[in-house]
Amino acid sequence: MILSKRFISFLNTLFLIASCAVSTSAISQNSLKNKVTTEQVQAELMAHAPDGVDPGKTAWVGLQLSHQPGWHTYWKNSGDSGQPTTLSWTLPTGVLAGDVAWPVPEKLPIGNLANYGYAGTVLLPVPLTITPDFKPSPVNPELVVKLQASWLVCKLECVPQEGEFELRLPVKGSTAVHSGLFEKAFKAQPSRLHDTSSITIQGHSLHVSVAGLPAKLQGQTLDFFPETPEVIETAGQWTQAWQGAVWTADVPISPQRGSSPEEMPLVLATSSGTERLGFATTAKVSGHWPALTAPGAVSTTPRPVPTAAPVPADLPASFWLALLGALLGGMILNLMPCVFPVLAIKVVGFTLQGANHQRLRMGGLAYSAGVVLSFVGLGALMLVLRGAGEQLGWGFQLQTPAVVAALAALFTVIGLNLAGVFEFGQLVPNSLATLEARNPSVDAFLSGMLAVVIASPCTAPFMGASLGLALSLPAAQALLIFAAIGVGMALPYLAASWSPALARRLPRPGAWMNTFRQIMAFPMFATVIWLVWVLGQQSGIDGAAALLTLLLGLALVIWALGLKGRSRVILTTFSIATLALLTATIGQNVMKPAEPGGSSASTALWQSWAPGKVEQLQAEGSPVFVDFTAAWCVTCQYNKKTTLANAEVLADFAARKVTLLRADWTRRDPAITAALAQLGRNGVPVYVLYQSGRTPVVLSEILSTAEVHQALAGLTR
């Protein structure tokens, strides 16, 4: 009777959790609004539909950004640094959003950089095409427009921000309260030129020729804005002239350009009184693009801070050194805390096999094959995606909340199995449950794959340079680097499996093995705690709480499946329904990005890294120390809690007036990936000390206080 009451209380608790999740979801939906205000920007979603939004008509919506004095956001080509504002629309069926009608930007010089963007107030209009497929509700005929927007607002520092907006427009009524603002935005659009424009490559510069400009502009100085990013030296010296009615310019080409286009859309602009005039054209490019001066340069928008040139790929000594570093780094990966449980469970398997040396050796080979092939597979995947233009880095598998959540579920299931809550034979067909007994090599192979998945996100010592070099090498040599990492990781286990002396020293099978098995459940649960913490850095406290709730539901399902008799059918049905309900109501919180204000990357001592921020600080004369880190990187967290928290180290930073930046790579960030690639690295941790006019100093991955003091002592005053 007491057990029954406890069970009913447990069920009530589950229903309460589900009810709270539904309420939380409803509150979240109702909290959407059309205005978001931060310390730097007021963002407001506006609409202009004076004739309603009936099918066949075009309505306009737009995000207005009102900047505080000194702050700015960016145009479609942000220039040397920055990031364009992005708008992601959620619209009903039959309503199509067009491209942003970007107003003419301004050139914003910052130190030795130049950006393109907007200060003051700017409205970014977007046309909505209402097709006949749009079927508004007859009860409440309206058009619901939802927007997820993100923007980077900068002064001397940069702050990434985002907001969710919602508007409800009447289908038949008029929406024209902001007509004056939209009319002003329409006038700020560049006019399209129809005459021929051309660009001729002359050495290391572009000779631009534009015809068809209004006669009243002849003789005036114009601003030049290429829409294609990373082609010209944005802050470089350039000249312009008029040849009759044709405007010409000579613009320097960036030695690290990101593309070699055959056509370049251009915007020319000038100010006439209080009015800003712009003219758009597309120029065909003729001639041969000069060779890049930095082999392996990475193209991104925004462009990362210029750093040391990538490691050259044509030095045999460098390759063999990287191969050795990869081998040693792979061996050190075995020391990662989350790998220990997997290896410990496999070592216990030695005792079960006793003197069967052949089976031990086959298991060692199978485990090693799983490790090496997994590393080679991950390397091949990265090379394929890199060739397709994807910006990835080592550890990318834990930059996705879905992967983190899946691993947490996997380790929860393994932990429950080790603790004796269930046996796999109760959940799967007997043929699968006995697979390990019939073919233990398969189990060893899969264990090797699992070890790679959980160990690879952190670059152990000696691995960072090797991985960075690997992705600048030809494919065959790059895959050798990845294979060397796998061999290094598998080597200790392989040596143990082939050593009869070591096998004889292992304890004999007995009752202790069941106790040891249950003990090993706790490292598994510890790994789950770490994964939930990682997800909390990506999706916030709501995401972590949602994952814990779903794991609880998963544990309930597994427990119910292990029951016998009629109660198994009833409780399994109930538990699966409960898990499905929880997944539907709170599952989206696992994938939802954390709120900008919820990040711990910026503290009283540390500021958040952003593209261009290092150069901005260097222009002010401040040396900069950047910590490239991630929540899933164990080495990063160790260094953060030890060397980077050391009072003497922090005092030395303060005495030398070093600005501390933290680049958080927990979630995928193409700008951080590109910055790492420019340093010749492809994973974290990476620690870099910058000083204007000097080559960046890259420190070791296992950071010591002595090394930091030595690097700081090298700063010039």
Side-chain angles (χ1 to χ4, degrees):
M1 187 66 179
I2 295 175
L3 180 61
S4 177
K5 288 182 178 179
R6 289 181 178 175
F7 185 71
I8 292 173
S9 176
F10 177 64
L11 298 186
N12 289 335
T13 301
L14 283 179
F15 279 118
L16 179 60
I17 293 172
S19 300
C20 291
V22 174
S23 300
T24 302
S25 177
I27 293 172
S28 175
Q29 291 297 322
N30 292 332
S31 64
L32 292 173
K33 53 187 179 180
N34 70 328
K35 187 179 294 186
V36 172
T37 302
T38 69
E39 294 181 2
Q40 300 82 15
V41 171
Q42 177 176 287
E44 182 177 359
L45 179 60
M46 301 178 174
H48 179 60
D51 300 324
V53 290
D54 283 324
K57 295 181 179 178
T58 298
W60 287 86
V61 290
L63 184 67
Q64 178 176 271
L65 299 173
S66 300
H67 308 84
Q68 291 294 324
W71 294 85
H72 62 270
T73 52
Y74 295 93
W75 187 51
K76 62 170 69 176
N77 173 11
S78 57
D80 280 325
S81 62
Q83 189 170 7
T85 299
T86 59
L87 308 179
S88 178
W89 303 94
T90 301
L91 302 169
T93 302
V95 180
L96 306 176
D99 296 330
V100 177
W102 294 91
V104 176
E106 301 176 26
K107 192 171 184 177
L108 306 169
I110 301 179
N112 60 348
L113 300 176
N115 297 329
Y116 304 142
Y118 309 99
T121 299
V122 64
L123 175 62
L124 305 177
V126 173
L128 298 183
T129 301
I130 316 299
T131 72
D133 293 330
F134 173 55
K135 307 295 183 184
S137 170
V139 178
N140 187 17
E142 60 183 6
L143 169 60
V144 180
V145 178
K146 295 182 180 180
L147 169 65
Q148 174 73 40
S150 61
W151 58 90
L152 183 69
V153 56
C154 297
K155 192 175 183 180
L156 292 177
E157 65 274 21
C158 292
V159 183
Q161 297 176 348
E162 62 182 16
E164 293 182 348
F165 307 84
E166 181 180 292
L167 283 179
R168 296 179 178 270
L169 309 181
V171 173
K172 297 297 182 182
S174 175
T175 303
V177 65
H178 298 299
S179 58
L181 296 174
F182 276 89
E183 289 299 327
K184 183 178 179 181
F186 296 152
K187 291 180 180 179
Q189 307 303 312
S191 304
R192 173 59 57 179
L193 298 176
H194 298 290
D195 284 23
T196 302
S197 303
S198 64
I199 293 178
T200 304
I201 300 173
Q202 297 180 349
H204 292 275
S205 65
L206 300 178
H207 180 73
V208 185
S209 177
V210 180
L213 291 163
K216 63 180 181 180
L217 297 183
Q218 293 183 19
Q220 293 189 25
T221 300
L222 305 182
D223 294 327
F224 173 72
F225 303 101
E227 294 187 14
T228 308
E230 298 184 9
V231 172
I232 70 167
E233 281 291 340
T234 310
Q237 296 295 323
W238 64 288
T239 60
Q240 59 177 298
W242 287 88
Q243 297 179 358
V246 178
W247 180 85
T248 63
D250 290 288
V251 184
I253 300 173
S254 171
Q256 295 179 330
R257 71 179 185 277
S259 61
S260 303
E262 297 180 357
E263 290 186 340
M264 289 185 62
L266 311 171
V267 172
L268 305 178
T270 187
S271 298
S272 178
T274 59
E275 187 179 11
R276 181 81 166 155
L277 302 177
F279 304 91
T281 184
T282 300
K284 292 185 177 181
V285 180
S286 60
H288 298 287
W289 288 96
L292 294 172
T293 59
V298 178
S299 171
T300 61
T301 302
R303 188 168 67 186
V305 179
T307 58
V311 180
D314 56 351
L315 296 177
S318 297
F319 173 74
W320 291 113
L321 183 61
L323 206 62
L324 177 62
L327 183 70
L328 295 176
M331 296 178 65
I332 296 175
L333 275 178
N334 288 287
L335 301 178
M336 292 297 164
C338 46
V339 181
F340 277 129
V342 177
L343 295 181
I345 293 171
K346 297 309 300 176
V347 170
V348 171
F350 286 163
T351 64
L352 293 175
Q353 295 164 21
N356 192 334
H357 300 310
Q358 182 179 1
R359 179 170 290 186
L360 281 174
R361 292 173 178 176
M362 290 299 297
L365 290 173
Y367 176 85
S368 302
V371 171
V372 175
L373 291 179
S374 295
F375 267 109
V376 172
L378 283 173
L381 176 61
M382 291 185 64
L383 292 173
V384 169
L385 293 177
R386 183 74 76 183
E390 290 284 340
Q391 290 296 318
L392 296 176
W394 196 244
F396 67 91
Q397 59 268 42
L398 286 190
Q399 292 178 326
T400 304
V403 176
V404 176
L407 286 175
L410 173 63
F411 277 90
T412 298
V413 172
I414 295 175
L416 293 173
N417 173 253
L418 293 174
V421 174
F422 77 100
E423 297 297 335
F424 282 107
Q426 297 174 302
L427 308 183
V428 298
N430 186 64
S431 59
L432 292 178
T434 58
L435 177 62
E436 179 180 351
R438 290 186 286 109
N439 193 352
S441 297
V442 174
D443 176 69
F445 181 84
L446 295 177
S447 297
M449 295 180 64
L450 177 62
V452 172
V453 170
I454 61 177
S456 62
C458 282
T459 56
F462 313 112
M463 276 183 60
S466 300
L467 286 170
L469 175 61
L471 293 179
S472 66
L473 290 171
Q477 298 180 39
L479 292 179
L480 279 177
I481 296 288
F482 286 104
I485 298 173
V487 170
M489 184 175 176
L491 198 56
Y493 182 86
L494 182 63
S497 67
W498 279 70
S499 172
L502 179 59
R504 285 194 296 268
R505 289 184 181 139
L506 293 174
R508 294 183 177 182
W512 68 270
M513 294 181 60
N514 187 52
T515 303
F516 182 80
R517 169 185 167 176
Q518 294 174 357
I519 290 174
M520 293 312 300
F522 293 94
M524 290 294 177
F525 293 138
T527 303
V528 174
I529 293 174
W530 168 63
L531 289 167
V532 171
W533 179 76
V534 170
L535 187 121
Q537 306 299 308
Q538 300 171 334
S539 302
I541 190 171
D542 290 342
L547 178 58
L548 286 172
T549 305
L550 294 175
L551 293 178
L552 177 63
L554 176 63
L556 177 62
V557 171
I558 291 174
W559 171 79
L561 287 170
L563 297 176
K564 296 180 180 179
R566 185 179 178 185
S567 59
R568 172 175 179 169
V569 177
I570 297 174
L571 293 176
T572 298
T573 303
F574 167 78
S575 60
I576 292 176
T578 301
L579 180 59
L581 175 63
L582 291 173
T583 303
T585 54
I586 64 175
Q588 71 274 11
N589 290 336
V590 174
M591 301 296 297
K592 185 178 180 182
E595 294 295 330
S599 174
S600 60
S602 181
T603 66
L605 295 175
W606 294 86
Q607 303 177 31
S608 296
W609 179 92
K613 192 168 184 176
V614 172
E615 288 189 343
Q616 294 172 0
L617 291 168
Q618 285 183 293
E620 300 173 4
S622 173
V624 183
F625 181 84
V626 180
D627 170 17
F628 291 92
T629 184
W632 37 259
C633 171
V634 179
T635 309
C636 302
Q637 303 310 316
Y638 172 80
N639 290 334
K640 187 183 297 184
K641 301 298 183 182
T642 54
T643 302
L644 295 181
N646 183 277
E648 294 181 358
V649 169
L650 295 176
D652 202 358
F653 279 131
R656 301 177 188 277
K657 298 181 179 180
V658 177
T659 301
L660 304 179
L661 302 182
R662 184 156 282 154
D664 190 349
W665 206 39
T666 300
R667 288 187 78 109
R668 179 179 171 186
D669 188 323
I672 294 178
T673 305
L676 290 170
Q678 290 285 356
L679 291 165
R681 298 299 176 92
N682 204 257
V684 290
V686 174
Y687 305 100
V688 191
L689 182 63
Y690 296 87
Q691 186 176 25
S692 181
R694 303 186 66 182
T695 301
V697 178
V698 180
L699 282 68
S700 302
E701 292 171 298
I702 297 294
L703 202 59
S704 67
T705 57
E707 183 182 15
V708 176
H709 288 308
Q710 181 179 0
L712 293 175
L715 293 175
T716 57
R717 295 187 178 272

